[in-house]
Amino acid sequence: MFCFQCEQTAMCSGCTGHAGVCGKTADTAKLQDELTGALIGLARSVDGNANRPTASTDEAMLAGLFTTITNVNFNNQTVQDMIDRILAEKRKLVPDCTTCGSPCSRNDDYDMNKVWNADADIRSLKSLILFGLRGMSAYAYHAMVLGYSDREVNDFFYRALFAVGYDYEMKDLLPLVLETGEANLKCMALLDKANTETYGTPVPTTVPLTVEKGPFIVITGHDLHDLKLLLEQTKGKGIHIYTHGEMLPAHAYPELKKYPHLKGNFGTAWQNQQKEFANIPAPILFTTNCLMPPKASYQDRVFTTEVVSFPNVQHIGEDKDFTPVIEKALELGGYKEDQPFTGINGGHEVTTGFGHGTVLSVADKVVAAVKAGQISHFFLVGGCDGAKPGRNYYTDFVKQTPKDSIILTLACGKYRFNDLDLGTVAGLPRIMDMGQCNDAYSAIQVAVALAQAFGCGVNELPLSFVLSWYEQKAVCILLTLLHLGIKNILLGPSLPAFISPNVLNYLVEHYKIAPISTPEADLKKLLAK
């Protein structure tokens, strides 16, 4: 196998051999490459075809890309089923292709080894595009589930997939890398609209970390639609619902807050799940990434849905009947007494809900505080968390930020510090959780609004980006920031293995992107600008 799409990739170069660091086997990796090749074949069948993609084509394409994101699917059978689904969609677009007497090969599936063995710079740029598409597909998929789609965004998926399988040169691929970031901005805006129009505008909400006595279910991932369905199906059954990981921001949405049995948040970031799930007397529902291979001690309590799949784990299908999860919760019974838990820094509660709707509603107060010298700096510290040593950097960084600064955060990287009590500045909390990884859109909206208020560019604001990355959603967000021309981003804990030296030099030269060093040195550099 060969895979280097995530931050924990072996030796910072690529996972080879029988299994990846994430637990994905070589067989699964091979099938995911075949799935990607089939998706490129689907994109080829769309190119120049009078038969346009249907809603069924789009859904299959997004689900197929979503399936290849790190820590989503470890099940060979369901990956093969997805390949078959993609091939069936291609046959609808080019129904006579298999019987053609003069095969042109233009609709053939693609051999991903051609990318992995390509020139280092070509491989690097195609990887940036492909991994960006994978991350973006999750956002487009969540929006689609809520009934929202964008023809322009979906068409870009096909065009960019086609490019991954085409013999383009660097000069052709570089603009497409930035265009992927532009498409992701539209995609995040679409999901923001879908979420807020469906569930309301998030409001600041304090979420307890204590699990109350009695039956409960832990739901993890990102899919708010699945949470809403679970809340509906558990009404009046005496079962409490606790979010985990990236599902935490759900507590801030008015249409989800109204369910009294949505009680609090359990656990921390995704990479701690094997330890945190080991002994809880409750089932866990996985709605998206990040799934780690469940240990035998709790495998019978894990349920998956949507594109998430793992061998020998019960899957909830398209009917979304969560009865097996509910029955397991009642069977296990939960804790006999309330169980107080804490965040990694000992805090007993966390706060979320500072999306752009909330922050921009007090924009005049923020601007006045900056002009009055009450707020000295803004730091966006967030992104994907992970298990690799060195991620304590983000906790230490936040602890050392000036007392008159504000930390904007999002995604699961916030679990490194979101239970810290850093107090307030100018009447505002110093830590503002803006939501899930896709809520980078909120951070962008706030940055643009502040720049307009001060009559300057975003790069001239007292605003610094200190990002952590793990998987492909972080890649598409980074590409969006680059598309917007944002410079001086600090990225860690290590740089992506798929970035070649020449491509890295390009990013450094044009965007001043740099790896993190130490909190002390980085703070000194950022505050000096």
mmCIF file of all heavy atoms in Angstrom, residues 7-8 269-272 384-389 391 412-413 416 468-470 493:
data_model
loop_
_atom_site.group_PDB
_atom_site.id
_atom_site.type_symbol
_atom_site.label_atom_id
_atom_site.label_comp_id
_atom_site.label_asym_id
_atom_site.label_seq_id
_atom_site.Cartn_x
_atom_site.Cartn_y
_atom_site.Cartn_z
ATOM 1 N N GLU A 7 -1.745 13.577 8.530
ATOM 2 C CA GLU A 7 -0.583 14.125 9.230
ATOM 3 C C GLU A 7 0.230 13.069 9.967
ATOM 4 O O GLU A 7 1.428 13.227 10.157
ATOM 5 C CB GLU A 7 -1.062 15.203 10.217
ATOM 6 C CG GLU A 7 0.048 15.999 10.883
ATOM 7 C CD GLU A 7 0.493 15.381 12.200
ATOM 8 O OE1 GLU A 7 -0.298 14.638 12.806
ATOM 9 O OE2 GLU A 7 1.636 15.645 12.619
ATOM 10 N N GLN A 8 -0.407 11.961 10.352
ATOM 11 C CA GLN A 8 0.318 10.967 11.129
ATOM 12 C C GLN A 8 1.005 9.917 10.250
ATOM 13 O O GLN A 8 1.500 8.909 10.755
ATOM 14 C CB GLN A 8 -0.618 10.267 12.120
ATOM 15 C CG GLN A 8 -1.689 9.400 11.495
ATOM 16 C CD GLN A 8 -2.602 8.750 12.522
ATOM 17 O OE1 GLN A 8 -2.532 9.055 13.705
ATOM 18 N NE2 GLN A 8 -3.469 7.853 12.081
ATOM 19 N N ALA A 269 -11.184 14.976 22.020
ATOM 20 C CA ALA A 269 -11.016 14.862 20.566
ATOM 21 C C ALA A 269 -10.996 13.396 20.120
ATOM 22 O O ALA A 269 -10.860 12.470 20.920
ATOM 23 C CB ALA A 269 -9.735 15.573 20.142
ATOM 24 N N TRP A 270 -11.090 13.207 18.821
ATOM 25 C CA TRP A 270 -11.282 11.874 18.237
ATOM 26 C C TRP A 270 -10.189 10.878 18.599
ATOM 27 O O TRP A 270 -10.454 9.690 18.787
ATOM 28 C CB TRP A 270 -11.384 11.991 16.707
ATOM 29 C CG TRP A 270 -10.096 12.410 16.067
ATOM 30 C CD1 TRP A 270 -9.677 13.676 15.807
ATOM 31 C CD2 TRP A 270 -9.046 11.553 15.618
ATOM 32 N NE1 TRP A 270 -8.428 13.672 15.233
ATOM 33 C CE2 TRP A 270 -8.027 12.382 15.111
ATOM 34 C CE3 TRP A 270 -8.871 10.169 15.599
ATOM 35 C CZ2 TRP A 270 -6.840 11.857 14.583
ATOM 36 C CZ3 TRP A 270 -7.687 9.646 15.079
ATOM 37 C CH2 TRP A 270 -6.689 10.496 14.578
ATOM 38 N N GLN A 271 -8.938 11.341 18.709
ATOM 39 C CA GLN A 271 -7.842 10.392 18.881
ATOM 40 C C GLN A 271 -7.821 9.755 20.270
ATOM 41 O O GLN A 271 -7.069 8.809 20.513
ATOM 42 C CB GLN A 271 -6.486 11.068 18.590
ATOM 43 C CG GLN A 271 -5.961 11.984 19.673
ATOM 44 C CD GLN A 271 -6.542 13.379 19.592
ATOM 45 O OE1 GLN A 271 -7.356 13.655 18.728
ATOM 46 N NE2 GLN A 271 -6.120 14.251 20.472
ATOM 47 N N ASN A 272 -8.663 10.265 21.190
ATOM 48 C CA ASN A 272 -8.725 9.696 22.541
ATOM 49 C C ASN A 272 -9.864 8.700 22.712
ATOM 50 O O ASN A 272 -10.092 8.200 23.810
ATOM 51 C CB ASN A 272 -8.890 10.831 23.563
ATOM 52 C CG ASN A 272 -7.753 11.827 23.515
ATOM 53 O OD1 ASN A 272 -6.601 11.454 23.362
ATOM 54 N ND2 ASN A 272 -8.074 13.104 23.629
ATOM 55 N N CYS A 384 -7.570 20.400 13.011
ATOM 56 C CA CYS A 384 -7.704 18.996 13.424
ATOM 57 C C CYS A 384 -6.733 18.674 14.555
ATOM 58 O O CYS A 384 -5.575 19.073 14.521
ATOM 59 C CB CYS A 384 -7.389 18.062 12.260
ATOM 60 S SG CYS A 384 -8.307 18.359 10.758
ATOM 61 N N ASP A 385 -7.216 17.909 15.534
ATOM 62 C CA ASP A 385 -6.315 17.398 16.556
ATOM 63 C C ASP A 385 -5.765 16.051 16.094
ATOM 64 O O ASP A 385 -6.198 15.492 15.090
ATOM 65 C CB ASP A 385 -7.053 17.255 17.890
ATOM 66 C CG ASP A 385 -6.108 17.284 19.090
ATOM 67 O OD1 ASP A 385 -4.881 17.428 18.890
ATOM 68 O OD2 ASP A 385 -6.586 17.157 20.223
ATOM 69 N N GLY A 386 -4.823 15.524 16.826
ATOM 70 C CA GLY A 386 -4.225 14.240 16.480
ATOM 71 C C GLY A 386 -3.377 13.717 17.620
ATOM 72 O O GLY A 386 -3.229 14.365 18.658
ATOM 73 N N ALA A 387 -2.818 12.527 17.419
ATOM 74 C CA ALA A 387 -2.100 11.850 18.502
ATOM 75 C C ALA A 387 -0.594 12.073 18.478
ATOM 76 O O ALA A 387 0.090 11.759 19.449
ATOM 77 C CB ALA A 387 -2.395 10.348 18.435
ATOM 78 N N LYS A 388 -0.063 12.608 17.401
ATOM 79 C CA LYS A 388 1.387 12.732 17.284
ATOM 80 C C LYS A 388 1.938 13.686 18.344
ATOM 81 O O LYS A 388 1.361 14.733 18.614
ATOM 82 C CB LYS A 388 1.769 13.237 15.893
ATOM 83 C CG LYS A 388 3.279 13.298 15.645
ATOM 84 C CD LYS A 388 3.590 13.769 14.241
ATOM 85 C CE LYS A 388 3.273 12.719 13.221
ATOM 86 N NZ LYS A 388 3.739 13.109 11.866
ATOM 87 N N PRO A 389 3.069 13.337 18.975
ATOM 88 C CA PRO A 389 3.685 14.246 19.945
ATOM 89 C C PRO A 389 3.964 15.616 19.327
ATOM 90 O O PRO A 389 4.236 15.734 18.137
ATOM 91 C CB PRO A 389 5.001 13.523 20.299
ATOM 92 C CG PRO A 389 4.731 12.083 20.020
ATOM 93 C CD PRO A 389 3.811 12.071 18.831
ATOM 94 N N ARG A 391 1.675 18.219 19.811
ATOM 95 C CA ARG A 391 0.429 18.972 19.760
ATOM 96 C C ARG A 391 0.137 19.729 21.057
ATOM 97 O O ARG A 391 -0.777 20.554 21.085
ATOM 98 C CB ARG A 391 -0.727 18.051 19.380
ATOM 99 C CG ARG A 391 -0.670 17.633 17.913
ATOM 100 C CD ARG A 391 -1.860 16.781 17.513
ATOM 101 N NE ARG A 391 -1.835 16.428 16.091
ATOM 102 C CZ ARG A 391 -2.416 17.127 15.119
ATOM 103 N NH1 ARG A 391 -3.066 18.227 15.409
ATOM 104 N NH2 ARG A 391 -2.353 16.726 13.865
ATOM 105 N N CYS A 412 -11.740 20.140 16.026
ATOM 106 C CA CYS A 412 -11.426 19.396 17.247
ATOM 107 C C CYS A 412 -10.105 19.811 17.870
ATOM 108 O O CYS A 412 -9.794 19.405 18.993
ATOM 109 C CB CYS A 412 -11.452 17.898 16.983
ATOM 110 S SG CYS A 412 -10.256 17.320 15.768
ATOM 111 N N GLY A 413 -9.319 20.652 17.173
ATOM 112 C CA GLY A 413 -8.096 21.154 17.780
ATOM 113 C C GLY A 413 -8.361 21.951 19.046
ATOM 114 O O GLY A 413 -7.484 22.081 19.906
ATOM 115 N N ARG A 416 -7.678 20.919 22.916
ATOM 116 C CA ARG A 416 -6.404 21.097 23.627
ATOM 117 C C ARG A 416 -6.504 22.185 24.689
ATOM 118 O O ARG A 416 -5.718 22.202 25.637
ATOM 119 C CB ARG A 416 -5.303 21.462 22.626
ATOM 120 C CG ARG A 416 -4.939 20.337 21.671
ATOM 121 C CD ARG A 416 -4.016 19.341 22.321
ATOM 122 N NE ARG A 416 -3.863 18.124 21.523
ATOM 123 C CZ ARG A 416 -3.032 17.136 21.827
ATOM 124 N NH1 ARG A 416 -2.287 17.223 22.910
ATOM 125 N NH2 ARG A 416 -2.964 16.062 21.072
ATOM 126 N N SER A 468 -3.597 23.687 13.200
ATOM 127 C CA SER A 468 -3.181 22.288 13.297
ATOM 128 C C SER A 468 -3.941 21.507 12.233
ATOM 129 O O SER A 468 -5.093 21.815 11.927
ATOM 130 C CB SER A 468 -3.488 21.729 14.686
ATOM 131 O OG SER A 468 -4.860 21.879 15.017
ATOM 132 N N TRP A 469 -3.314 20.503 11.674
ATOM 133 C CA TRP A 469 -3.987 19.739 10.629
ATOM 134 C C TRP A 469 -3.815 18.258 10.913
ATOM 135 O O TRP A 469 -2.904 17.815 11.590
ATOM 136 C CB TRP A 469 -3.451 20.091 9.241
ATOM 137 C CG TRP A 469 -2.201 19.370 8.848
ATOM 138 C CD1 TRP A 469 -0.929 19.639 9.268
ATOM 139 C CD2 TRP A 469 -2.111 18.245 7.967
ATOM 140 N NE1 TRP A 469 -0.051 18.752 8.705
ATOM 141 C CE2 TRP A 469 -0.744 17.878 7.905
ATOM 142 C CE3 TRP A 469 -3.034 17.505 7.239
ATOM 143 C CZ2 TRP A 469 -0.289 16.813 7.125
ATOM 144 C CZ3 TRP A 469 -2.583 16.451 6.463
ATOM 145 C CH2 TRP A 469 -1.228 16.117 6.410
ATOM 146 N N TYR A 470 -4.759 17.485 10.389
ATOM 147 C CA TYR A 470 -4.657 16.028 10.464
ATOM 148 C C TYR A 470 -5.086 15.386 9.144
ATOM 149 O O TYR A 470 -4.373 14.596 8.580
ATOM 150 C CB TYR A 470 -5.503 15.469 11.616
ATOM 151 C CG TYR A 470 -5.559 13.963 11.596
ATOM 152 C CD1 TYR A 470 -4.446 13.210 11.932
ATOM 153 C CD2 TYR A 470 -6.706 13.290 11.179
ATOM 154 C CE1 TYR A 470 -4.474 11.820 11.868
ATOM 155 C CE2 TYR A 470 -6.743 11.903 11.120
ATOM 156 C CZ TYR A 470 -5.622 11.178 11.473
ATOM 157 O OH TYR A 470 -5.644 9.804 11.405
ATOM 158 N N PRO A 493 1.298 19.977 13.555
ATOM 159 C CA PRO A 493 2.626 19.938 14.172
ATOM 160 C C PRO A 493 3.752 19.615 13.199
ATOM 161 O O PRO A 493 4.926 19.791 13.506
ATOM 162 C CB PRO A 493 2.484 18.838 15.236
ATOM 163 C CG PRO A 493 1.445 17.940 14.696
ATOM 164 C CD PRO A 493 0.471 18.824 13.972
#
